[in-house]
Amino acid sequence: MRMVVKYAKRDRVKYISHLDLMRTLHRALRRAGIPVAFSQGYNPQPKVAFGPPLPVGMTSEGEYMDIVLDLEMNPKEFCHRMNSVLPQGITVLDAVAIDKSFPSLMSVIERALYHISIKTPVQSIEEALKDFLSQPVINITKSGKKGERTVNIRPMIHRLETVSQGKEVVVMEAVLSAGSKESLNAEQMVCCFLEFIGMEDDSHCFANIHRLEMFLYKDNAWITPLELGRG
């Protein structure tokens, strides 16, 4: 049996790394007595795979992992047993059974939805966003194993708009590329936008970034991984 699991990483644990988060979830699977299948060979590994990692400092209610089990299990029972052993700040939200032959989540997830809150005195934020997105090229510098390289992130910003604006705080919603094919860190995009409006050196423009959901493209539609088990 293969199961897709959605979970949340909240404010209390937003500064733990993806590696530590994986270790915590592996330990929780053992403590909850989940019948996880293991690979064959001299060093058997649990058959657990994770979706695109969340950068340190961000919160999320749209994280995913998929698990192969040796025995059939009710998804609701899985959620209950996991939540009874997980530490505060990490919560399993839902789970569904999916076809074993479906490709890995990491290879099919392509987009993610974020809520981004920034403090800015700029009143005409919508005009600023419109001007920012009208640029055909928005270059940033990315660092990797092969050194630094310049990347045009404009094709990775699929939607960026304001959803509310108070006296000091603006909340924006963004759909960005995510996954193994191409991925844009939401914080990098925010820094790029703040630089565009001349606020890159203002420490008061602290951005709170929350990932709401991830999506894959299937049968001519964008769906969430949970919808794989409901079609």
Side-chain angles (χ1 to χ4, degrees):
M1 177 184 187
R2 184 176 167 195
M3 195 179 287
V4 163
V5 180
K6 184 180 184 182
Y7 62 96
K9 181 185 179 188
R10 305 192 192 281
D11 197 67
R12 188 183 181 94
V13 294
K14 68 180 182 181
Y15 292 114
I16 70 169
S17 69
H18 184 64
L19 184 59
D20 285 336
L21 178 66
M22 290 168 57
R23 289 173 178 150
T24 300
L25 287 164
H26 280 147
R27 281 198 295 270
L29 288 166
R30 288 197 299 273
R31 290 180 62 195
I34 306 297
V36 180
F38 279 73
S39 61
Q40 302 297 310
Y42 291 105
N43 185 26
Q45 296 294 316
K47 291 186 176 180
V48 181
F50 292 84
L54 185 72
V56 172
M58 295 185 196
T59 55
S60 174
E61 57 191 275
E63 300 306 289
Y64 284 93
M65 60 179 175
D66 80 76
I67 305 172
V68 178
L69 303 179
D70 276 332
L71 302 172
E72 293 290 320
M73 187 172 190
N74 185 302
K76 289 185 178 178
E77 172 69 11
F78 173 91
C79 296
H80 173 72
R81 285 164 65 173
M82 285 293 287
N83 285 331
S84 68
V85 299
L86 279 167
Q88 291 183 29
I90 304 173
T91 308
V92 170
L93 302 174
D94 205 350
V96 294
I98 66 166
D99 193 307
K100 274 189 174 182
S101 64
F102 197 79
S104 70
L105 285 183
M106 191 66 187
S107 68
V108 294
I109 286 175
E110 296 185 43
R111 294 185 180 183
L113 170 65
Y114 299 87
H115 261 188
I116 301 167
S117 304
I118 60 172
K119 293 180 180 178
T120 171
V122 176
Q123 296 300 311
S124 55
I125 195 74
E126 291 189 4
E127 282 298 314
L129 277 179
K130 186 178 177 182
D131 291 342
F132 178 68
L133 293 174
S134 70
Q135 303 174 98
V137 176
I138 303 175
N139 282 334
I140 65 168
T141 301
K142 278 192 171 185
S143 299
K145 293 179 180 177
K146 296 181 179 178
E148 293 187 341
R149 61 193 174 97
T150 300
V151 177
N152 176 18
I153 64 170
R154 181 62 187 89
M156 303 182 208
I157 305 172
H158 306 289
R159 181 160 63 86
L160 177 61
E161 60 189 10
T162 57
V163 292
S164 67
Q165 181 167 5
K167 289 184 178 179
E168 295 182 346
V169 178
V170 174
V171 180
M172 300 185 293
E173 202 167 86
V175 176
L176 309 177
S177 292
S180 57
K181 294 173 186 172
E182 61 178 15
S183 184
L184 174 57
N185 185 322
E187 186 174 2
Q188 287 182 309
M189 187 212 63
V190 171
C191 290
C192 204
F193 175 66
L194 292 176
E195 183 179 357
F196 180 77
I197 60 176
M199 304 291 293
E200 70 274 22
D201 296 326
D202 191 338
S203 60
H204 297 294
C205 287
F206 172 75
N208 182 39
I209 303 174
H210 182 73
R211 185 149 72 186
L212 285 167
E213 189 53 272
M214 287 192 264
F215 302 94
L216 58 99
Y217 196 69
K218 185 173 183 289
D219 298 333
N220 298 316
W222 290 101
I223 64 171
T224 70
L226 283 180
E227 290 176 291
L228 290 171
R230 294 168 181 165

PDB file of all heavy atoms in Angstrom, residues 16 32 41 44 48 72 89 112 116-117 120 130 141-143 146 161 172 175 182 186-187 190 192 197 204 220 228 230:
ATOM      1  N   ILE A  16      14.058  24.512  12.249  1.00  0.00           N
ATOM      2  CA  ILE A  16      14.777  23.241  12.114  1.00  0.00           C
ATOM      3  C   ILE A  16      14.970  22.941  10.625  1.00  0.00           C
ATOM      4  O   ILE A  16      14.150  23.309   9.783  1.00  0.00           O
ATOM      5  CB  ILE A  16      14.064  22.069  12.831  1.00  0.00           C
ATOM      6  CG1 ILE A  16      12.771  21.680  12.120  1.00  0.00           C
ATOM      7  CG2 ILE A  16      13.801  22.391  14.294  1.00  0.00           C
ATOM      8  CD1 ILE A  16      12.183  20.378  12.640  1.00  0.00           C
ATOM      9  N   ALA A  32       5.017   5.392  16.341  1.00  0.00           N
ATOM     10  CA  ALA A  32       3.586   5.179  16.121  1.00  0.00           C
ATOM     11  C   ALA A  32       3.282   3.760  15.672  1.00  0.00           C
ATOM     12  O   ALA A  32       2.106   3.385  15.539  1.00  0.00           O
ATOM     13  CB  ALA A  32       3.078   6.182  15.073  1.00  0.00           C
ATOM     14  N   GLY A  41      18.453  -5.333   0.435  1.00  0.00           N
ATOM     15  CA  GLY A  41      19.899  -5.120   0.368  1.00  0.00           C
ATOM     16  C   GLY A  41      20.549  -5.122   1.733  1.00  0.00           C
ATOM     17  O   GLY A  41      19.927  -5.451   2.751  1.00  0.00           O
ATOM     18  N   PRO A  44      18.978  -1.759   4.446  1.00  0.00           N
ATOM     19  CA  PRO A  44      17.564  -1.457   4.141  1.00  0.00           C
ATOM     20  C   PRO A  44      17.154  -0.077   4.654  1.00  0.00           C
ATOM     21  O   PRO A  44      17.508   0.313   5.765  1.00  0.00           O
ATOM     22  CB  PRO A  44      16.807  -2.558   4.902  1.00  0.00           C
ATOM     23  CG  PRO A  44      17.810  -3.622   5.162  1.00  0.00           C
ATOM     24  CD  PRO A  44      19.125  -2.933   5.325  1.00  0.00           C
ATOM     25  N   VAL A  48      10.186   5.924   2.333  1.00  0.00           N
ATOM     26  CA  VAL A  48       9.540   7.204   2.612  1.00  0.00           C
ATOM     27  C   VAL A  48      10.213   8.253   1.731  1.00  0.00           C
ATOM     28  O   VAL A  48      11.443   8.363   1.732  1.00  0.00           O
ATOM     29  CB  VAL A  48       9.694   7.614   4.086  1.00  0.00           C
ATOM     30  CG1 VAL A  48       8.991   8.946   4.348  1.00  0.00           C
ATOM     31  CG2 VAL A  48       9.138   6.526   5.000  1.00  0.00           C
ATOM     32  N   GLU A  72      -2.048  -3.042   4.796  1.00  0.00           N
ATOM     33  CA  GLU A  72      -3.101  -2.065   4.555  1.00  0.00           C
ATOM     34  C   GLU A  72      -3.393  -1.302   5.857  1.00  0.00           C
ATOM     35  O   GLU A  72      -3.342  -1.879   6.959  1.00  0.00           O
ATOM     36  CB  GLU A  72      -4.375  -2.771   4.080  1.00  0.00           C
ATOM     37  CG  GLU A  72      -4.251  -3.427   2.719  1.00  0.00           C
ATOM     38  CD  GLU A  72      -4.154  -2.411   1.593  1.00  0.00           C
ATOM     39  OE1 GLU A  72      -4.879  -1.397   1.663  1.00  0.00           O
ATOM     40  OE2 GLU A  72      -3.354  -2.623   0.663  1.00  0.00           O
ATOM     41  N   GLY A  89       4.195  21.512  16.860  1.00  0.00           N
ATOM     42  CA  GLY A  89       4.703  22.264  15.711  1.00  0.00           C
ATOM     43  C   GLY A  89       4.661  21.467  14.417  1.00  0.00           C
ATOM     44  O   GLY A  89       4.751  22.039  13.337  1.00  0.00           O
ATOM     45  N   ALA A 112       4.041  25.788  -6.166  1.00  0.00           N
ATOM     46  CA  ALA A 112       3.655  25.928  -4.768  1.00  0.00           C
ATOM     47  C   ALA A 112       2.992  27.288  -4.565  1.00  0.00           C
ATOM     48  O   ALA A 112       3.325  28.265  -5.240  1.00  0.00           O
ATOM     49  CB  ALA A 112       4.865  25.796  -3.852  1.00  0.00           C
ATOM     50  N   ILE A 116       2.604  35.700   1.672  1.00  0.00           N
ATOM     51  CA  ILE A 116       3.799  36.469   2.022  1.00  0.00           C
ATOM     52  C   ILE A 116       3.366  37.785   2.648  1.00  0.00           C
ATOM     53  O   ILE A 116       2.613  38.560   2.036  1.00  0.00           O
ATOM     54  CB  ILE A 116       4.639  36.747   0.758  1.00  0.00           C
ATOM     55  CG1 ILE A 116       5.065  35.427   0.098  1.00  0.00           C
ATOM     56  CG2 ILE A 116       5.861  37.605   1.100  1.00  0.00           C
ATOM     57  CD1 ILE A 116       5.612  35.594  -1.307  1.00  0.00           C
ATOM     58  N   SER A 117       3.821  38.034   3.889  1.00  0.00           N
ATOM     59  CA  SER A 117       3.492  39.296   4.576  1.00  0.00           C
ATOM     60  C   SER A 117       4.750  40.138   4.686  1.00  0.00           C
ATOM     61  O   SER A 117       5.774  39.669   5.185  1.00  0.00           O
ATOM     62  CB  SER A 117       2.950  39.014   5.980  1.00  0.00           C
ATOM     63  OG  SER A 117       1.831  38.163   5.927  1.00  0.00           O
ATOM     64  N   THR A 120       5.771  47.404   4.626  1.00  0.00           N
ATOM     65  CA  THR A 120       6.277  48.386   3.672  1.00  0.00           C
ATOM     66  C   THR A 120       5.456  49.654   3.721  1.00  0.00           C
ATOM     67  O   THR A 120       4.227  49.604   3.820  1.00  0.00           O
ATOM     68  CB  THR A 120       6.259  47.821   2.231  1.00  0.00           C
ATOM     69  OG1 THR A 120       6.566  48.873   1.316  1.00  0.00           O
ATOM     70  CG2 THR A 120       4.914  47.225   1.865  1.00  0.00           C
ATOM     71  N   LYS A 130       2.825  45.421 -10.341  1.00  0.00           N
ATOM     72  CA  LYS A 130       2.584  45.400 -11.788  1.00  0.00           C
ATOM     73  C   LYS A 130       3.862  45.751 -12.548  1.00  0.00           C
ATOM     74  O   LYS A 130       4.210  45.090 -13.543  1.00  0.00           O
ATOM     75  CB  LYS A 130       1.473  46.404 -12.129  1.00  0.00           C
ATOM     76  CG  LYS A 130       1.038  46.381 -13.575  1.00  0.00           C
ATOM     77  CD  LYS A 130      -0.106  47.384 -13.795  1.00  0.00           C
ATOM     78  CE  LYS A 130      -0.501  47.424 -15.268  1.00  0.00           C
ATOM     79  NZ  LYS A 130      -1.578  48.421 -15.496  1.00  0.00           N
ATOM     80  N   THR A 141      21.219  35.890  -8.464  1.00  0.00           N
ATOM     81  CA  THR A 141      22.409  35.046  -8.444  1.00  0.00           C
ATOM     82  C   THR A 141      22.169  33.870  -7.513  1.00  0.00           C
ATOM     83  O   THR A 141      21.824  34.054  -6.345  1.00  0.00           O
ATOM     84  CB  THR A 141      23.630  35.840  -7.952  1.00  0.00           C
ATOM     85  OG1 THR A 141      23.824  36.953  -8.824  1.00  0.00           O
ATOM     86  CG2 THR A 141      24.876  34.969  -7.959  1.00  0.00           C
ATOM     87  N   LYS A 142      22.308  32.662  -8.057  1.00  0.00           N
ATOM     88  CA  LYS A 142      22.146  31.449  -7.258  1.00  0.00           C
ATOM     89  C   LYS A 142      23.505  30.802  -7.034  1.00  0.00           C
ATOM     90  O   LYS A 142      24.334  30.744  -7.947  1.00  0.00           O
ATOM     91  CB  LYS A 142      21.221  30.455  -7.967  1.00  0.00           C
ATOM     92  CG  LYS A 142      19.746  30.738  -7.783  1.00  0.00           C
ATOM     93  CD  LYS A 142      18.903  29.558  -8.248  1.00  0.00           C
ATOM     94  CE  LYS A 142      17.436  29.736  -7.861  1.00  0.00           C
ATOM     95  NZ  LYS A 142      16.619  28.554  -8.204  1.00  0.00           N
ATOM     96  N   SER A 143      23.706  30.292  -5.815  1.00  0.00           N
ATOM     97  CA  SER A 143      24.943  29.589  -5.507  1.00  0.00           C
ATOM     98  C   SER A 143      24.681  28.084  -5.469  1.00  0.00           C
ATOM     99  O   SER A 143      23.678  27.634  -4.923  1.00  0.00           O
ATOM    100  CB  SER A 143      25.488  30.043  -4.148  1.00  0.00           C
ATOM    101  OG  SER A 143      25.768  31.428  -4.181  1.00  0.00           O
ATOM    102  N   LYS A 146      28.551  24.078  -8.292  1.00  0.00           N
ATOM    103  CA  LYS A 146      29.440  24.500  -9.378  1.00  0.00           C
ATOM    104  C   LYS A 146      29.728  25.999  -9.319  1.00  0.00           C
ATOM    105  O   LYS A 146      30.237  26.571 -10.273  1.00  0.00           O
ATOM    106  CB  LYS A 146      28.813  24.127 -10.728  1.00  0.00           C
ATOM    107  CG  LYS A 146      28.653  22.620 -10.930  1.00  0.00           C
ATOM    108  CD  LYS A 146      28.043  22.302 -12.286  1.00  0.00           C
ATOM    109  CE  LYS A 146      27.908  20.794 -12.474  1.00  0.00           C
ATOM    110  NZ  LYS A 146      27.272  20.444 -13.780  1.00  0.00           N
ATOM    111  N   GLU A 161       0.154  38.611  -6.403  1.00  0.00           N
ATOM    112  CA  GLU A 161      -0.845  39.665  -6.259  1.00  0.00           C
ATOM    113  C   GLU A 161      -1.090  39.942  -4.784  1.00  0.00           C
ATOM    114  O   GLU A 161      -0.816  39.093  -3.925  1.00  0.00           O
ATOM    115  CB  GLU A 161      -2.156  39.256  -6.933  1.00  0.00           C
ATOM    116  CG  GLU A 161      -2.758  37.983  -6.346  1.00  0.00           C
ATOM    117  CD  GLU A 161      -3.925  37.461  -7.163  1.00  0.00           C
ATOM    118  OE1 GLU A 161      -4.141  37.962  -8.269  1.00  0.00           O
ATOM    119  OE2 GLU A 161      -4.607  36.541  -6.679  1.00  0.00           O
ATOM    120  N   MET A 172       0.581  39.231   0.388  1.00  0.00           N
ATOM    121  CA  MET A 172       0.546  38.879  -1.026  1.00  0.00           C
ATOM    122  C   MET A 172       0.373  37.364  -1.167  1.00  0.00           C
ATOM    123  O   MET A 172       0.690  36.600  -0.251  1.00  0.00           O
ATOM    124  CB  MET A 172       1.845  39.299  -1.718  1.00  0.00           C
ATOM    125  CG  MET A 172       2.118  40.784  -1.637  1.00  0.00           C
ATOM    126  SD  MET A 172       3.583  41.286  -2.569  1.00  0.00           S
ATOM    127  CE  MET A 172       4.885  40.508  -1.639  1.00  0.00           C
ATOM    128  N   VAL A 175       2.201  32.177  -6.594  1.00  0.00           N
ATOM    129  CA  VAL A 175       2.368  30.810  -7.083  1.00  0.00           C
ATOM    130  C   VAL A 175       3.709  30.770  -7.808  1.00  0.00           C
ATOM    131  O   VAL A 175       3.909  31.483  -8.800  1.00  0.00           O
ATOM    132  CB  VAL A 175       1.232  30.393  -8.039  1.00  0.00           C
ATOM    133  CG1 VAL A 175       1.502  28.996  -8.598  1.00  0.00           C
ATOM    134  CG2 VAL A 175      -0.110  30.426  -7.326  1.00  0.00           C
ATOM    135  N   GLU A 182      12.470  22.872 -11.859  1.00  0.00           N
ATOM    136  CA  GLU A 182      12.946  24.223 -11.553  1.00  0.00           C
ATOM    137  C   GLU A 182      12.225  24.686 -10.303  1.00  0.00           C
ATOM    138  O   GLU A 182      11.073  24.302 -10.051  1.00  0.00           O
ATOM    139  CB  GLU A 182      12.725  25.202 -12.713  1.00  0.00           C
ATOM    140  CG  GLU A 182      11.285  25.401 -13.101  1.00  0.00           C
ATOM    141  CD  GLU A 182      11.137  26.419 -14.211  1.00  0.00           C
ATOM    142  OE1 GLU A 182      12.145  26.760 -14.862  1.00  0.00           O
ATOM    143  OE2 GLU A 182       9.996  26.875 -14.440  1.00  0.00           O
ATOM    144  N   ALA A 186      10.852  31.395  -2.305  1.00  0.00           N
ATOM    145  CA  ALA A 186       9.985  32.571  -2.139  1.00  0.00           C
ATOM    146  C   ALA A 186      10.734  33.736  -1.497  1.00  0.00           C
ATOM    147  O   ALA A 186      10.474  34.903  -1.818  1.00  0.00           O
ATOM    148  CB  ALA A 186       8.768  32.187  -1.292  1.00  0.00           C
ATOM    149  N   GLU A 187      11.662  33.440  -0.594  1.00  0.00           N
ATOM    150  CA  GLU A 187      12.412  34.512   0.067  1.00  0.00           C
ATOM    151  C   GLU A 187      13.285  35.262  -0.944  1.00  0.00           C
ATOM    152  O   GLU A 187      13.414  36.487  -0.876  1.00  0.00           O
ATOM    153  CB  GLU A 187      13.281  33.935   1.185  1.00  0.00           C
ATOM    154  CG  GLU A 187      13.975  35.011   2.001  1.00  0.00           C
ATOM    155  CD  GLU A 187      14.718  34.445   3.191  1.00  0.00           C
ATOM    156  OE1 GLU A 187      14.726  33.204   3.343  1.00  0.00           O
ATOM    157  OE2 GLU A 187      15.300  35.224   3.948  1.00  0.00           O
ATOM    158  N   VAL A 190      11.076  37.632  -2.775  1.00  0.00           N
ATOM    159  CA  VAL A 190      10.721  38.787  -1.950  1.00  0.00           C
ATOM    160  C   VAL A 190      11.885  39.784  -1.895  1.00  0.00           C
ATOM    161  O   VAL A 190      11.696  40.996  -2.049  1.00  0.00           O
ATOM    162  CB  VAL A 190      10.331  38.334  -0.527  1.00  0.00           C
ATOM    163  CG1 VAL A 190      10.186  39.548   0.392  1.00  0.00           C
ATOM    164  CG2 VAL A 190       9.031  37.553  -0.556  1.00  0.00           C
ATOM    165  N   CYS A 192      14.162  40.192  -4.071  1.00  0.00           N
ATOM    166  CA  CYS A 192      14.277  40.806  -5.392  1.00  0.00           C
ATOM    167  C   CYS A 192      13.239  41.933  -5.545  1.00  0.00           C
ATOM    168  O   CYS A 192      13.538  43.013  -6.068  1.00  0.00           O
ATOM    169  CB  CYS A 192      14.055  39.714  -6.442  1.00  0.00           C
ATOM    170  SG  CYS A 192      14.780  40.075  -8.021  1.00  0.00           S
ATOM    171  N   ILE A 197      11.800  47.934  -5.294  1.00  0.00           N
ATOM    172  CA  ILE A 197      11.115  49.141  -4.792  1.00  0.00           C
ATOM    173  C   ILE A 197      12.016  49.950  -3.863  1.00  0.00           C
ATOM    174  O   ILE A 197      11.554  50.862  -3.173  1.00  0.00           O
ATOM    175  CB  ILE A 197       9.795  48.790  -4.070  1.00  0.00           C
ATOM    176  CG1 ILE A 197      10.039  47.871  -2.855  1.00  0.00           C
ATOM    177  CG2 ILE A 197       8.804  48.147  -5.026  1.00  0.00           C
ATOM    178  CD1 ILE A 197       8.780  47.585  -2.050  1.00  0.00           C
ATOM    179  N   HIS A 204      13.166  46.571   8.641  1.00  0.00           N
ATOM    180  CA  HIS A 204      11.789  46.527   9.138  1.00  0.00           C
ATOM    181  C   HIS A 204      10.847  45.839   8.142  1.00  0.00           C
ATOM    182  O   HIS A 204       9.709  45.555   8.450  1.00  0.00           O
ATOM    183  CB  HIS A 204      11.288  47.941   9.426  1.00  0.00           C
ATOM    184  CG  HIS A 204      12.061  48.625  10.514  1.00  0.00           C
ATOM    185  ND1 HIS A 204      12.040  48.190  11.820  1.00  0.00           N
ATOM    186  CD2 HIS A 204      12.905  49.678  10.483  1.00  0.00           C
ATOM    187  CE1 HIS A 204      12.809  48.960  12.558  1.00  0.00           C
ATOM    188  NE2 HIS A 204      13.352  49.868  11.776  1.00  0.00           N
ATOM    189  N   ASN A 220      -4.687  17.685 -17.693  1.00  0.00           N
ATOM    190  CA  ASN A 220      -4.999  19.066 -18.087  1.00  0.00           C
ATOM    191  C   ASN A 220      -5.504  19.940 -16.939  1.00  0.00           C
ATOM    192  O   ASN A 220      -6.299  20.868 -17.145  1.00  0.00           O
ATOM    193  CB  ASN A 220      -6.038  19.090 -19.220  1.00  0.00           C
ATOM    194  CG  ASN A 220      -5.538  18.404 -20.469  1.00  0.00           C
ATOM    195  OD1 ASN A 220      -4.395  18.603 -20.878  1.00  0.00           O
ATOM    196  ND2 ASN A 220      -6.382  17.572 -21.065  1.00  0.00           N
ATOM    197  N   LEU A 228      -4.762  12.963  -5.840  1.00  0.00           N
ATOM    198  CA  LEU A 228      -4.394  11.729  -6.540  1.00  0.00           C
ATOM    199  C   LEU A 228      -5.186  10.546  -6.005  1.00  0.00           C
ATOM    200  O   LEU A 228      -5.429   9.563  -6.715  1.00  0.00           O
ATOM    201  CB  LEU A 228      -2.894  11.446  -6.356  1.00  0.00           C
ATOM    202  CG  LEU A 228      -1.931  12.387  -7.078  1.00  0.00           C
ATOM    203  CD1 LEU A 228      -0.508  12.115  -6.608  1.00  0.00           C
ATOM    204  CD2 LEU A 228      -2.045  12.201  -8.585  1.00  0.00           C
ATOM    205  N   ARG A 230      -8.246  10.732  -4.769  1.00  0.00           N
ATOM    206  CA  ARG A 230      -9.684  10.993  -4.749  1.00  0.00           C
ATOM    207  C   ARG A 230     -10.268  11.046  -6.142  1.00  0.00           C
ATOM    208  O   ARG A 230     -11.372  11.508  -6.338  1.00  0.00           O
ATOM    209  CB  ARG A 230      -9.958  12.309  -4.017  1.00  0.00           C
ATOM    210  CG  ARG A 230      -9.605  12.212  -2.546  1.00  0.00           C
ATOM    211  CD  ARG A 230      -9.587  13.555  -1.874  1.00  0.00           C
ATOM    212  NE  ARG A 230      -9.221  13.425  -0.479  1.00  0.00           N
ATOM    213  CZ  ARG A 230      -8.847  14.419   0.293  1.00  0.00           C
ATOM    214  NH1 ARG A 230      -8.783  15.633  -0.201  1.00  0.00           N
ATOM    215  NH2 ARG A 230      -8.517  14.221   1.548  1.00  0.00           N
TER     216      ARG A 230
END
